[in-house]
Amino acid sequence: MAELATVARPYAEAAFALARESADPKAALPKWAEMLRALSSVAQDAQMQTAIESPKLSAAQKTELFTGVCGDALTDTGRKFISTVVEAGRAKLLPQIQLHFEALKNADENSAIAVVRTAMPLTDEQRAGFAQSLQRKFGKSIQIKETVDESLIAGAIISVGDQVIDGSAKGRLAAMAFGVKA
């Protein structure tokens, strides 16, 4: 996995540089994030993965598939970017490219995404409380991405970057079973 991230990083950094060097970087960064999310989503489709790996399709045909599916989500620069990625045989790395780009964008904006896994959906009040607490802890603007995982029993597991806070009942029970202080 680390190897994929290493290979994807230069492409993400190139996309980030293109966005930062544009006439309006504040507008370009979200647009690039949107384009890369679209490209990543397309690259993860099973049929598209088959097409990406097909030796019968040329790089131009594969690029045309991406641009056709993404349509107006891509700017001219975005189309050139996907053409470069496809020609280099790196289209399957688009999810990793998108993740690394998001990390660069978040660092530039002093923000972070907190993935909050809970046993039940959060209320608006709980979501705001998590965001406020995490902003104080990390000193960054926090965007909450919520997922429900009923196996947690109760509580939450919060991931911000590479830091994980396990406040779930399942995590506490597991810690107790192994004699670890939770």
Side-chain angles (χ1 to χ4, degrees):
M1 187 70 108
E3 185 177 309
L4 294 179
T6 301
V7 176
R9 183 175 294 115
Y11 294 95
E13 290 171 349
F16 185 76
L18 286 169
R20 296 286 294 151
E21 294 166 3
S22 72
D24 185 5
K26 292 246 186 240
L29 282 170
K31 181 62 180 171
W32 269 94
E34 176 188 324
M35 286 191 294
L36 289 171
R37 275 191 297 273
L39 290 167
S40 173
S41 179
V42 170
Q44 292 178 64
D45 177 77
Q47 289 179 318
M48 190 60 157
Q49 288 177 357
T50 301
I52 290 169
E53 294 173 8
S54 174
K56 294 181 181 180
L57 295 177
S58 68
Q61 290 170 315
K62 293 173 187 179
T63 300
E64 193 174 312
L65 282 172
F66 274 103
T67 58
V69 172
C70 292
D72 293 338
L74 298 179
T75 63
D76 289 340
T77 309
R79 285 181 176 82
K80 291 176 186 171
F81 178 80
I82 189 58
S83 176
T84 300
V85 170
V86 169
E87 286 176 18
R90 304 293 191 209
K92 65 183 175 184
L93 296 179
L94 282 162
Q96 288 83 9
I97 293 169
Q98 186 258 327
L99 288 173
H100 190 70
F101 179 89
E102 289 287 343
L104 292 169
K105 179 181 170 289
N106 288 341
D108 185 66
E109 296 172 344
N110 195 33
S111 66
I113 295 173
V115 178
V116 180
R117 284 185 9 206
T118 58
M120 297 183 301
L122 294 173
T123 65
D124 290 339
E125 186 177 312
Q126 289 169 324
R127 198 173 295 108
F130 272 119
Q132 190 176 41
S133 295
L134 292 169
Q135 284 172 2
R136 277 193 309 271
K137 179 174 176 56
F138 291 99
K140 297 179 178 194
S141 172
I142 299 288
Q143 178 187 358
I144 301 289
K145 297 256 179 162
E146 179 182 349
T147 60
V148 175
D149 181 353
E150 294 175 358
S151 74
L152 297 180
I153 306 167
I157 298 176
I158 303 164
S159 301
V160 179
D162 60 356
Q163 294 188 31
V164 178
I165 303 164
D166 189 346
S168 69
K170 182 179 181 179
R172 289 178 187 216
L173 289 170
M176 287 171 51
F178 290 105
V180 178
K181 185 176 180 182

